Amino acid sequence: MFSYLKSEKYNIQKEAGQTLRIGIPIIIAQILQMSMTFVDTVMAGNLSAGDLAAVAIGGALLNPIIMLAAGTLMAINPIVAQHFGARNFKEIGRSTQQALWLSMILSLPFFFLLRNMEWALYLLDVAPEIIGPAMAYLHAMSWGIFPIFGFYVLRYFNEGLSATKPSMFVALLGVIVNIGGNYVLMYGKLGFPALGATGTGYSSSMVAMAMFIGMLVFTARYKPYRRFNIFTKLRLPQWSYLKEIFNIGVPIGLSSTMETSTFALVSLFMGSLGMMAVAGHQVAINFSSMMFMIPFGLSTAITTRVGHVAGRNDIAEARHRGYVGIFLATSCMTITALVMLLLPDLITGMYTDDPGVQEIAISLLYMAAIFQISDGLQVSSYGALRGLKDTKFPMVVNFVSYWLVGLPLGYYLGITQGVGPQGLWIGLIVGLTIAAVLHNVRFYKQTKHS
């Protein structure tokens, strides 16, 4: 598979450098955005258990919606990247403007859905005293749906053109607004009433607006983008463009939702194994999630790099760029795996000093070290496939890997057979490994005729 590495035609070091140049700002941006959830959790926990529960439950309902919409809008990245590679600059502007229309169209049903989620809370048998605060949190969060969807379009547009630093700086702005907004609205400072968890929701909506405005100002004022005429000529929604975004983006959104829901369900299954199992799992999965931001950021860079040459039908170069990116991401995850194997006590010590929780967390970190490799392989190869606009087959792969194999196997081993937390994680490892193999085989076949 990597026989092309022996060829002198390709400069592997240069390509790796380009991928890192694009990917590192995305990694930082993702970590900054994750830190906002951490800040919300810590600040809500300092108020009361009720506020913390409201944020946790509300976030659990909100995240799948955000993942589905963000994944759908992510289609603009390979679309823009391929148009750029083909030098179709007019189509870049038209596609981006249509994606902005789509972000507004999607915002409407999701806005009203968030404001009417009581049925889901009752279905999940959430304690009655939590439902009220959780719904108040979701009502406040709903106002951020419009700007956050618009932000995603402009972010992915910029990333499709290899401009990734703007989203990093905008994410930093979001962190600052988030901390300030939480402090004022949650605790009732500067004359505002103390809103608790509801204040967190309004603060997050403010963050969404600040990030959207920040990205909008950069995109509108950046001179090289003026040739795309994104904001100079208004075009009404056109089905041909919206159809392309849907065809590429909906499978991405569903794939992302399936993967994240798999990890969410494993966390819920842990609840039946006791408090110590949940706590140990939370430590291991939180650290693993942070490490996952490395290949995730690189996967977006791979999409852009592959998309640029796929747009000019240079499949041989697409294969080269894809495999360099896959090798780079997997190498990074090999390093994180070694960290987990060699320093588990140090890692768990950052989270807890409870010996029982540490013991479970360490055993799961050893298992996490195994799926670091699979995770790096699957997300990077999926990024390469996105660059080719190949998203439907990976969606089927993710469905089979996570929902038909990983989850049932984990439940059978962990719950039915009584293996415990390790059994549930075996399911995760198997699911991720199947996805990694099949995504890589797919990319190999898609570029084989070069």
Side-chain angles (χ1 to χ4, degrees), residues 221-359:
R221 292 175 62 88
Y222 191 47
K223 289 184 180 180
Y225 291 171
R226 292 179 183 175
R227 56 182 165 171
F228 303 139
N229 295 317
I230 300 173
F231 306 109
T232 55
K233 184 178 180 180
L234 179 65
R235 303 175 186 88
L236 294 177
Q238 298 179 39
W239 174 242
S240 60
Y241 288 92
L242 297 179
K243 182 180 178 181
E244 180 184 26
I245 297 171
F246 271 119
N247 285 340
I248 299 171
V250 170
I252 299 175
L254 291 174
S255 294
S256 301
T257 303
M258 282 187 284
E259 184 175 354
T260 54
S261 63
T262 296
F263 283 87
L265 285 171
V266 167
S267 296
L268 291 175
F269 293 156
M270 286 289 176
S272 66
L273 300 177
M275 181 179 64
M276 300 294 280
V278 173
H281 166 77
Q282 184 61 29
V283 169
I285 205 68
N286 183 267
F287 187 78
S288 299
S289 297
M290 290 290 289
M291 296 301 100
F292 178 71
M293 291 303 102
I294 299 172
F296 180 82
L298 292 176
S299 76
T300 303
I302 296 167
T303 298
T304 301
R305 295 295 294 166
V306 170
H308 284 173
V309 289
R312 59 176 186 259
N313 293 317
D314 189 346
I315 302 302
E317 178 65 15
R319 166 177 279 204
H320 163 65
R321 293 185 177 190
Y323 278 135
V324 169
I326 292 168
F327 181 77
L328 186 63
T330 307
S331 297
C332 290
M333 294 305 271
T334 301
I335 295 173
T336 64
L338 289 173
V339 170
M340 292 179 184
L341 289 172
L342 298 175
L343 302 172
D345 294 300
L346 179 62
I347 295 170
T348 57
M350 293 188 298
Y351 290 89
T352 179
D353 56 4
D354 186 303
V357 174
Q358 283 189 329
E359 181 180 357

Side-chain angles (χ1 to χ4, degrees), residues 65-143:
I65 292 175
I66 295 296
M67 291 299 300
L68 179 60
T72 300
L73 297 171
M74 189 183 286
I76 201 62
N77 182 323
I79 289 173
V80 166
Q82 289 204 15
H83 283 317
F84 184 79
R87 320 313 281 178
N88 293 328
F89 298 139
K90 289 184 179 179
E91 290 301 305
I92 290 176
R94 291 171 181 171
S95 296
T96 303
Q97 194 175 81
Q98 293 299 308
L100 286 169
W101 276 116
L102 180 59
S103 73
M104 288 187 280
I105 294 170
L106 291 176
S107 295
L108 287 172
F110 285 136
F111 172 80
F112 290 108
L113 178 63
L114 281 180
R115 301 176 72 85
N116 295 276
M117 292 291 282
E118 291 95 339
W119 61 272
L121 296 174
Y122 285 111
L123 184 66
L124 293 170
D125 199 26
V126 174
E129 63 270 19
I130 299 176
I131 292 178
M135 282 307 305
Y137 169 78
L138 289 174
H139 275 235
M141 285 291 302
S142 67
W143 296 107

Side-chain angles (χ1 to χ4, degrees), residues 258 395-406 408 431 434 438:
M258 282 187 284
M395 175 187 68
V396 176
V397 167
N398 283 359
F399 175 71
V400 172
S401 302
Y402 303 136
W403 282 70
L404 296 188
V405 179
I434 292 173
L438 293 180

